[in-house]
Amino acid sequence: MPRYAHLVMGPAGSGKSTYCAMMLEHLAALRRSAAVVNLDPAAEHFSYPVAVDVRDLIEVGDVTEDDSLCLGPNGGLIFCMEHLVANPSWLELALGQDEDDYLLIDCPGQVELYTHLPVMRELVAQLQHLGIRVCGVFLLDSHFMMEAFKYVSGVLTALSAMVSLEIPQVNVLSKMDLLSPGARKQIHKFLEPDLCEYLDEGSGAWASEKFKRLSKSISDLVDDYSLVRFLPLDRSEDDSVDAVLAQVDSALQYGEDEEPREPRDEDAGNDGDFDNFPQNS
């Protein structure tokens, strides 16, 4: 039987760790087995129990303090992730062989890992080799929807991750519960936006007409092919969490390989018995 994983991505501060803690609690309420994997070698505090921790293999502090490497925080984090994918046996041993695991993989917030470096793509390939179906969950802070240039940047980052990793991806607007009442009333306008309209509304933020025309061409491409759409996530509402989970389950084809249930005794007793069906008059 396959295992399943949410590869939780997004810019720093987009709510990845909060998503993992919330989804872990939600899955437990549904009586579904789940575990959180921390892949951030710079993480310090957790709001969830960590089942697998990359810091048991390598930490950013150990790398940046090594005078022979001369790496800063970002370079040190990339070094750690490259070291992780260079040691697939450690990851295989850490994840174990349990069946039907639902893994929530909390990833670092450096977007270059998903946009133009091969490290996360190689990690996904290793997970798939272990029989784990992977769905990317890309989080974008819902406050980014309020300014055109921030939102276009977020859309392109999500699209870049989709192209780079080549796995199913669910894009999520996080922190909906932190929006003001007025912003929440208008959220339906932001869920399937017309990027061109955003550019017109935010024209004062653009450096030049030439840059605005380039941005409009990009937005036309995104809009015309419906390349990026977002689901709202309000952690205070179970229906919102259920909607995101259902979308990820669908992308992962979760449960489709389960064996058919055995019929109950009362069902077996009625097998082929049509006496109780209403008769046509």
Side-chain angles (χ1 to χ4, degrees):
M1 296 292 290
R3 291 184 286 176
Y4 308 88
H6 295 207
L7 192 70
V8 185
M9 307 173 288
S14 58
K16 297 181 294 296
S17 295
T18 301
Y19 174 92
C20 290
M22 172 205 64
M23 195 58 71
L24 182 67
E25 181 179 348
H26 189 73
L27 289 166
L30 296 175
R31 298 184 180 180
R32 288 169 58 173
S33 175
V36 181
V37 177
N38 172 50
L39 285 191
D40 187 353
E44 296 181 355
H45 307 289
F46 302 98
S47 55
Y48 50 76
V50 181
V52 177
D53 193 345
V54 70
R55 298 178 304 167
D56 294 336
L57 174 68
I58 189 170
E59 293 189 52
V60 165
D62 297 334
V63 174
T64 56
E65 293 172 7
D66 189 328
D67 294 336
S68 64
L69 295 175
C70 299
L71 294 174
N74 286 342
L77 187 141
I78 293 172
F79 181 93
C80 289
M81 298 304 294
E82 291 175 342
H83 183 73
L84 170 63
V85 298
N87 290 272
S89 58
W90 179 89
L91 183 64
E92 181 177 3
L93 183 63
L95 293 177
Q97 300 295 327
D98 293 337
E99 292 187 351
D100 294 329
D101 278 347
Y102 210 104
L103 302 174
L104 305 168
I105 304 178
D106 193 358
C107 296
Q110 277 68 11
V111 294
E112 60 265 30
L113 294 172
Y114 319 105
T115 56
H116 61 275
L117 293 177
V119 59
M120 294 304 293
R121 185 185 180 95
E122 294 173 10
L123 176 66
V124 167
Q126 292 180 8
L127 293 171
Q128 292 172 334
H129 180 72
L130 296 176
I132 300 173
R133 295 181 182 175
V134 184
C135 176
V137 179
F138 189 91
L139 301 182
L140 184 66
D141 190 332
S142 56
H143 291 85
F144 273 47
M145 300 293 278
M146 305 306 169
E147 295 184 73
F149 64 97
K150 288 184 180 180
Y151 178 65
V152 172
S153 175
V155 166
L156 293 181
T157 303
L159 180 58
S160 182
M162 293 168 65
V163 172
S164 176
L165 298 182
E166 293 186 342
I167 57 175
Q169 182 167 306
V170 175
N171 301 305
V172 176
L173 282 180
S174 62
K175 304 184 181 181
M176 291 285 294
D177 49 301
L178 300 182
L179 291 176
S180 67
R184 295 188 67 177
K185 288 180 179 178
Q186 300 181 45
I187 201 62
H188 65 277
K189 172 185 175 182
F190 303 140
L191 294 181
E192 294 191 14
D194 180 347
L195 291 185
C196 293
E197 180 181 341
Y198 266 97
L199 296 178
D200 291 337
E201 291 178 353
S203 58
W206 305 100
S208 67
E209 284 299 317
K210 185 176 181 180
F211 181 63
K212 184 177 178 180
R213 288 196 301 271
L214 172 62
S215 301
K216 184 179 184 302
S217 298
I218 295 173
S219 67
D220 285 341
L221 176 65
V222 173
D223 283 337
D224 289 346
Y225 291 91
S226 299
L227 295 176
V228 180
R229 287 293 180 267
F230 287 90
L231 287 175
L233 177 59
D234 185 337
R235 63 175 182 170
S236 66
E237 297 181 0
D238 287 340
D239 288 346
S240 177
V241 182
D242 276 332
V244 172
L245 180 59
Q247 190 73 23
V248 178
D249 280 347
S250 177
L252 289 170
Q253 297 181 313
Y254 176 79
E256 292 190 6
D257 295 314
E258 292 183 358
E259 294 294 331
R261 294 186 305 168
E262 293 293 330
R264 296 176 298 179
D265 291 340
E266 56 269 28
D267 294 334
N270 291 330
D271 188 26
D273 183 1
F274 299 97
D275 293 340
N276 294 325
F277 276 65
Q279 302 297 317
N280 291 330
S281 54

